[in-house]
Amino acid sequence: MNKYWSRRLAGLVPYTPGEQPRDGVFIKLNTNENPYPPSPRAIAAMKDSADADLRLYPDPTCRDLRAALSDFYRVTPEEVFAGNGSDEVLAFAFPAFFDPARPILFADITYSFYPVYANFFGIAYKTLPLDAGFGLPVDAFCQKSGGVLLANPNAPTGKAVTLSDIEKILAADSERVVIVDEAYVDFGAESAVPLIRKYSNLLVVQTLSKSRALAGLRVGYALGDRGLIRALETVKNAFNSYTIDRTAQRCAAEAIRDTAYFCEICENVAKTRDKTAKRLKDMGFRVLDSKANFLFISHERKHAKALLRALRAAGILVRWFDHPRIDNFLRVTIGSPAEMDAFCEKIEAFVR
Ligand SMILES: *Cc1c(COP(=O)(O)O)cnc(C)c1O
């Protein structure tokens, strides 16, 4: 910081992204990327769009991408908003739906970007503790508030809640918006998208970064009542009208249309996850029930910090969070079967 920084910036604690090492010697199980390549059709579409038309601005309304999303989710294009990663969609949602003086609610253990956005946009918030088994305190989320933010499945626990719990929270107070961040939903949880017509206070946010193997593309989207979508469009057009470039719009639309490929890689990841979970349990790990593309694990004898260091020395990156309730846990992204074999062999040697 120096004397030129604004006062708002001086007090800000930013989000810390997981490490992206510059050499390729690590097995990367630390940022929940997909081990499979993106849809070949999506890559072809992107290459095809790298032409002289790049001199032109992209479609600010992302019409074709929104058409692909509206077909896939069986909603209208007016119920779809597209952004530069779901992080951007979430960032737009804060000024769109929340007011500074009315505290919003999120869990004490959840995506660590939520408090960063709240502080950045000056929105007050209250964190509600997950129960001892890291379950969501559904009744506490039903209290009156300025808004609700839930990740389902949650990060970094991987635990999912049922649609009936989400409905309970939605119905408890129709005056505030409930954002359900479904970054990991395609790996085995139930999506709240079918509820958007029933609850005009529901915004579902998803991303192409995890289940569609396109973290490098930076495309995310939101589905909800037209009134909510119009609010996001208004914030976007007060900030940057062209958030998604021409090539990314083409690539993303094709990725959404390639349903067969998407289903195949999601199934593979889920299978590898369940196999890995079983192996870890046999080694004495506590493994939370995950519906995501990662496992949240803790060992009865070996401390997570020690395992983190030992794995790193062995060329394997996983994620550790400096938070008192979870500082004896590691979050392990599900990689390819070969990567998970290597991970299991190493970690078994350390805990034996
Ligand atoms: C990865 C992740 C995101 C952000 O995804 P991008 O679309 O890559 O910005 C949002 N929410 C949660 C819970 C995530 O884990």
Side-chain angles (χ1 to χ4, degrees):
M1 189 190 113
N2 74 13
K3 65 181 177 181
Y4 302 112
W5 287 36
S6 69
R7 275 190 219 155
R8 182 218 279 255
L9 204 59
L12 210 65
V13 181
Y15 176 74
T16 316
E19 183 181 357
Q20 295 291 353
R22 280 196 282 166
D23 51 47
V25 301
F26 287 101
I27 293 181
K28 269 193 93 273
L29 307 178
N30 66 331
T31 51
N32 295 344
E33 288 140 331
N34 201 306
Y36 299 103
S39 150
R41 277 172 51 184
I43 301 294
M46 189 169 200
K47 283 187 176 153
D48 186 54
S49 67
D51 63 16
D53 281 350
L54 279 171
R55 72 193 174 81
L56 302 169
Y57 279 105
D59 172 9
T61 68
C62 304
R63 193 194 313 254
D64 185 55
L65 170 57
R66 284 169 47 243
L69 288 163
S70 75
D71 283 348
F72 185 82
Y73 291 103
R74 299 170 193 283
V75 299
T76 69
E78 291 72 33
E79 292 167 317
V80 182
F81 176 83
N84 186 232
S86 60
D87 283 340
E88 185 188 73
V89 179
L90 291 167
F92 288 172
F94 273 74
F97 307 119
F98 304 146
D99 287 305
R102 298 183 61 219
I104 62 166
L105 307 175
F106 48 83
D108 64 336
I109 296 162
T110 190
Y111 189 34
S112 48
F113 228 132
Y114 302 157
V116 175
Y117 288 134
N119 291 328
F120 185 65
F121 290 106
I123 309 292
Y125 64 91
K126 193 161 126 187
T127 57
L128 303 177
L130 297 182
D131 66 29
F134 299 105
L136 195 78
V138 175
D139 290 330
F141 275 95
C142 290
Q143 68 186 280
K144 290 250 184 282
S145 70
V148 170
L149 199 44
L150 296 174
N152 189 39
N154 197 14
T157 65
K159 289 189 71 150
V161 290
T162 62
L163 271 196
S164 69
D165 282 343
I166 291 194
E167 274 208 82
K168 206 170 152 194
I169 294 168
L170 282 163
D173 177 6
S174 60
E175 295 304 305
R176 42 78 168 131
V177 170
V178 175
I179 299 177
V180 183
D181 179 351
E182 295 188 345
Y184 302 103
V185 76
D186 300 319
F187 299 107
E190 238 183 320
S191 174
V193 170
L195 299 177
I196 65 167
R197 294 268 167 85
K198 191 168 171 194
Y199 297 98
S200 57
N201 59 330
L202 167 62
L203 189 80
V204 178
V205 178
Q206 293 198 11
T207 176
L208 275 72
S209 296
K210 317 288 172 37
S211 56
R212 286 178 176 85
L214 282 166
L217 193 71
R218 312 304 306 130
V219 176
Y221 48 94
L223 305 159
D225 180 78
R226 320 166 60 126
L228 301 186
I229 299 305
R230 266 203 297 269
L232 292 171
E233 284 163 0
T234 303
V235 172
K236 185 188 88 150
N237 287 314
F239 171 75
N240 174 7
S241 294
Y242 304 104
T243 54
I244 312 184
D245 68 64
R246 299 179 77 92
T247 60
Q249 289 189 29
R250 287 277 298 278
C251 180
E254 202 53 33
I256 296 296
R257 291 188 172 115
D258 195 350
T259 318
Y261 183 82
F262 160 73
C263 291
E264 184 191 329
I265 64 174
C266 287
E267 260 172 49
N268 288 347
V269 169
K271 258 188 228 154
T272 311
R273 173 193 67 210
D274 296 343
K275 252 191 186 163
T276 307
K278 192 181 170 303
R279 283 175 79 175
L280 289 166
K281 282 177 191 162
D282 291 344
M283 296 174 209
F285 278 94
R286 175 181 176 196
V287 182
L288 299 194
D289 180 28
S290 172
K291 300 287 183 228
N293 67 337
F294 55 83
L295 293 170
F296 203 49
I297 66 170
S298 182
H299 197 262
E300 49 197 7
R301 290 186 317 277
K302 289 280 181 186
H303 197 274
K305 205 79 198 273
L307 288 173
L308 175 80
R309 280 195 218 102
L311 285 167
R312 193 173 209 292
I316 300 176
L317 299 181
V318 298
R319 192 95 194 253
W320 175 83
F321 295 92
D322 191 7
H323 182 292
R325 283 188 73 187
I326 54 170
D327 64 3
N328 198 17
F329 279 82
L330 293 177
R331 191 195 69 189
V332 182
T333 303
I334 301 305
S336 67
E339 287 173 329
M340 297 326 282
D341 282 343
F343 165 79
C344 285
E345 277 164 30
K346 292 285 180 206
I347 206 161
E348 185 160 29
F350 299 138
V351 299
R352 203 185 287 130

